[in-house]
Amino acid sequence: MSDHQQLIKQLSNQMQPVKPLAPTGVRILKWVMVALPLAIVCSVFVHRGLTDWHQPGAGLALAQLALAVTLGIAAVWNALTLLIPGRHTIPTVRFILGGGLWLLLNIMSLSVHPSTPAHDHGTFCYLFLMVVSAPMMITLLWTIRRSGGLYSQKSLLMAGISVAAWSVSLLSLCHPVQQDRTDLALHFAAVATIIGVTMIIGRWTRVK
């Protein structure tokens, strides 16, 4: 019995105070301050000029950019909030509606009379999105892991949506305001790839 008491005393002396989890908004701000500069630096290797906002259709492009940023913030909020049981999150239906609106805006921005096929440009877009998403994906999964809690498939899905949305936002800053169908298809393929890879890596690190 005395040995048990000694063990309890030893463990009590080794205990450290638990550091409270920072508010979700603070964690998001810290992530953005780290992830975005890293993504911008990576974009230099695949950058191909800034967007000309004086071209016809610039209004739709700005609307896409604003919506993508909104979805990116909302999704990362959900990804971090879902780590804490009982916390209220943004309903999934709003992301469905937001994604549908983003899709509609992209369809509306298709060139009616494209001058040349943009197959090479579409390939550049896919590469750009993959490159800029990598540092944001890694830092967000690290933030989720450091935040503790039981991150589920839904939180990983929201993380993937956030990374994809932020990547698309950066692409909007160096992409023509008009696009063709091949270009648009590769944008969607890149978004799906980013979400899928984020969930796979997140699930793999969760069981490590």
Side-chain angles (χ1 to χ4, degrees):
M1 187 66 178
S2 59
D3 292 338
H4 293 167
Q5 295 296 335
Q6 183 66 25
L7 177 60
I8 293 173
K9 183 178 180 180
Q10 182 179 356
L11 292 175
S12 299
N13 292 333
Q14 294 176 351
M15 290 180 64
Q16 299 292 330
V18 177
K19 186 178 181 180
L21 190 64
T24 302
V26 174
R27 286 180 288 153
I28 292 175
L29 181 60
K30 288 181 178 180
W31 172 71
V32 169
M33 291 176 64
V34 172
L36 275 187
L38 289 175
I40 292 172
V41 170
C42 290
S43 72
V44 173
F45 298 100
V46 286
H47 188 225
R48 204 165 74 174
L50 296 176
T51 301
D52 184 0
W53 297 105
H54 299 289
Q55 292 293 320
L60 284 174
L62 283 172
Q64 294 171 33
L65 173 59
L67 182 57
V69 171
T70 302
L71 287 173
I73 295 174
V76 71
W77 178 278
N78 266 16
L80 296 179
T81 303
L82 283 166
L83 301 176
I84 308 173
R87 292 292 181 90
H88 295 290
T89 57
I90 302 171
T92 305
V93 66
R94 296 189 181 182
F95 290 95
I96 297 175
L97 293 175
L101 179 57
W102 181 78
L103 172 60
L104 177 61
L105 291 174
N106 275 271
I107 293 175
M108 292 172 61
S109 67
L110 289 175
S111 301
V112 179
H113 302 290
S115 55
T116 57
H119 299 286
D120 58 333
H121 188 73
T123 304
F124 155 76
C125 293
Y126 188 92
L127 176 63
F128 181 95
L129 290 170
M130 292 298 101
V131 170
V132 300
S133 68
M136 292 191 286
M137 183 188 306
I138 294 171
T139 52
L140 182 53
L141 290 176
W142 180 82
T143 300
I144 290 175
R145 190 174 181 87
R146 289 276 296 178
S147 296
L150 300 175
Y151 50 102
S152 62
Q153 285 296 99
K154 188 174 181 180
S155 65
L156 294 176
L157 172 62
M158 288 295 160
I161 292 174
S162 179
V163 172
W166 282 105
S167 301
V168 168
S169 301
L170 291 178
L171 178 64
S172 298
L173 301 177
C174 53
H175 189 281
V177 296
Q178 294 183 339
Q179 53 191 333
D180 67 9
R181 291 179 176 83
T182 302
D183 194 26
L184 181 58
L186 285 171
H187 289 187
F188 294 154
V191 167
T193 302
I194 292 170
I195 295 174
V197 171
T198 302
M199 295 184 68
I200 291 172
I201 296 178
R203 184 175 183 180
W204 177 73
T205 57
R206 184 179 61 179
V207 299
K208 291 293 286 183

